[in-house]
Amino acid sequence: MRDADASSVLDPQIERRRIKEADIDSENFEAGVYAGILSIEDFGAEPVVGVRLDYHLSEDVFFEAVLGRAEAGETSFETLNAGVRLLNDDEREFTYYQASVGYNLLPGEAFLSGGRTFNNAFYLLGGAGITDFAGDEHFTLGVGVGYRLLVNDLIAVRVDMKDHVFNLDVLGEDKTTHNLELTAGVSLFF
């Protein structure tokens, strides 16, 4: 009876499919450039460019340092009152330096074609820094969300949405400004 039971046991021959995923290099550093639009409160939406350096502490947490620059336009007050200038050209330069902590909220895989899998993540960012604008340096809080798609183990494409919050006194009263930024960029892992 035992011989009959042993011969009736199924022995499936399953062929395993091999999948090659884009992995983040073990060095955990990411450096990149970005460009987009920065809406400077009371001064309009202007092009912004910048550089970033990230250190991936783990699969979920990373630290980021950014440097960005834009040129502020005219306020509606300046537009309506020809000849009135609230800021000179040097004071219109909007430069920010920030350090942030990021958390990969939804890491996963994207299937953009039948045979390719791409690692990706939606992430949250929060941090602080300095914004040099209107002839003064302002302590700035930055919060945002982003999406990172790893094309391969070296290159990533990113889209970020951030809010740079600081107090500003240009029009005669101190007020909290929200300066929204939408950027896209490319970064390299090393």
Side-chain angles (χ1 to χ4, degrees):
M1 189 76 168
R2 289 184 173 230
D3 292 331
D5 289 339
S7 65
S8 67
V9 175
L10 296 178
D11 186 21
Q13 298 297 319
I14 299 174
E15 185 177 326
R16 300 284 181 199
R17 189 174 74 159
R18 297 199 185 273
I19 298 174
K20 184 176 189 275
E21 292 183 19
D23 295 323
I24 296 175
D25 285 341
S26 62
E27 298 298 329
N28 295 331
F29 283 97
E30 178 184 5
V33 296
Y34 61 89
I37 299 291
L38 174 64
S39 177
I40 304 170
E41 190 169 327
D42 295 328
F43 289 89
E46 301 295 335
V48 63
V49 294
V51 295
R52 67 170 44 102
L53 178 65
D54 293 8
Y55 175 72
H56 293 265
L57 185 63
S58 69
E59 187 174 323
D60 295 327
V61 178
F62 61 95
F63 298 107
E64 178 174 87
V66 295
L67 164 64
R69 172 169 264 177
E71 185 81 23
E74 292 184 342
T75 65
S76 57
F77 179 79
E78 291 172 310
T79 303
L80 294 172
N81 297 295
V84 174
R85 293 195 41 100
L86 297 175
L87 303 174
N88 63 37
D89 290 340
D90 290 338
E91 293 174 331
R92 290 186 187 276
E93 290 181 7
F94 187 101
T95 304
Y96 62 86
Y97 315 88
Q98 286 186 359
S100 301
V101 176
Y103 180 74
N104 290 325
L105 187 62
L106 296 171
E109 297 175 337
F111 302 94
L112 301 180
S113 67
R116 297 273 324 232
T117 303
F118 298 95
N119 288 336
N120 65 13
F122 284 100
Y123 53 86
L124 301 174
L125 284 169
I130 299 293
T131 299
D132 186 4
F133 179 61
D136 202 2
E137 292 183 344
H138 310 278
F139 174 76
T140 305
L141 294 176
V143 294
V145 296
Y147 176 75
R148 177 188 304 110
L149 178 76
L150 281 98
V151 177
N152 57 31
D153 64 346
L154 178 68
I155 300 170
V157 177
R158 292 178 55 162
V159 176
D160 290 271
M161 177 70 181
K162 292 183 183 175
D163 186 5
H164 305 275
V165 182
F166 60 88
N167 289 333
L168 183 64
D169 180 10
V170 172
L171 302 173
E173 66 180 62
D174 193 29
K175 72 175 192 172
T176 301
T177 62
H178 293 270
N179 306 281
L180 300 176
E181 176 185 59
L182 177 63
T183 60
V186 176
S187 56
L188 301 174
F189 284 90
F190 59 96

